[in-house]
Amino acid sequence: MKVMKLFAMLAIVLLMAACGGSDTASKVASKIRSGEALTEADYTEMIEYCGKYATEAQKLQDRINVLSPTSEEAGKLTNELADLTQKTEYAGLFNDKISACTKEEIGEKNVALVNKYAPLTWFVAPGWADLAPASDVEGSIVDMPSTDTTGVIATGAGEMVAK
């Protein structure tokens, strides 16, 4: 019997710990709404919150992008994306605040965090953010000339060229 009580108590503690992240997000949202000054830790919470949302949304967006807009699957994925957005209640508020911040107010660690998520479609980064995704792509082939194709080694528009 004592073992069952111990397991029940452990389950409650784990459940409370799992819900703690959303409690922190709601506290940061309250600070924003009341006009309180934000700390670097608050910005870290907002960036991570929006980054997690943007990462999940990007997975759905990548799948949508390869489908015909009129396909049934694209419609289902668009609905999933809308559901994800609905569940992420503070994303809009946090994205607005992040997009208007300066490097100085969020701190060096958070600048790196913003740059990590900045290339994602659903992360709204400030103007100073590095939007280039880290990859091994050196460049892209742009429109090929219709005449004078001497020296042209490939054809196509927008194809990625690896290093």
Side-chain angles (χ1 to χ4, degrees):
M1 188 67 159
K2 287 184 181 183
V3 173
M4 290 301 286
K5 285 182 181 179
L6 180 64
F7 281 128
M9 183 74 135
L10 182 60
I12 291 170
V13 169
L14 289 174
L15 183 61
M16 289 173 59
C19 295
S22 63
D23 186 44
T24 305
S26 68
K27 287 179 184 176
V28 173
S30 293
K31 285 177 81 171
I32 293 169
R33 289 183 184 122
S34 67
E36 292 180 46
L38 299 173
T39 65
E40 285 186 24
D42 295 334
Y43 277 103
T44 301
E45 176 67 24
M46 289 189 297
I47 295 165
E48 286 289 355
Y49 184 93
C50 292
K52 288 175 186 173
Y53 162 72
T55 300
E56 291 304 310
Q58 188 69 48
K59 291 174 188 175
L60 293 169
Q61 188 65 56
D62 290 344
R63 291 173 56 198
I64 292 169
N65 289 345
V66 297
L67 298 170
S68 166
T70 58
S71 74
E72 188 177 321
E73 181 68 15
K76 288 178 184 177
L77 291 171
T78 301
N79 289 340
E80 283 184 45
L81 187 56
D83 290 344
L84 177 64
T85 302
Q86 188 75 24
K87 290 177 188 173
T88 315
E89 63 181 304
Y90 304 118
L93 178 66
F94 290 173
N95 272 324
D96 288 347
K97 197 68 176 167
I98 293 166
S99 68
C101 71
T102 65
K103 290 180 178 182
E104 293 76 26
E105 73 184 295
I106 68 169
E108 189 176 322
K109 182 181 104 185
N110 287 330
V111 167
L113 201 53
V114 164
N115 288 334
K116 172 185 170 184
Y117 295 119
L120 299 174
T121 302
W122 292 96
F123 186 84
V124 182
W128 50 259
D130 182 9
L131 300 176
S135 71
D136 63 348
V137 173
E138 188 170 302
S140 61
I141 300 171
V142 293
D143 295 329
M144 293 290 114
S146 58
T147 60
D148 188 26
T149 57
T150 56
V152 175
I153 59 170
T155 61
E159 296 176 33
M160 296 305 216
V161 179
K163 290 182 181 177

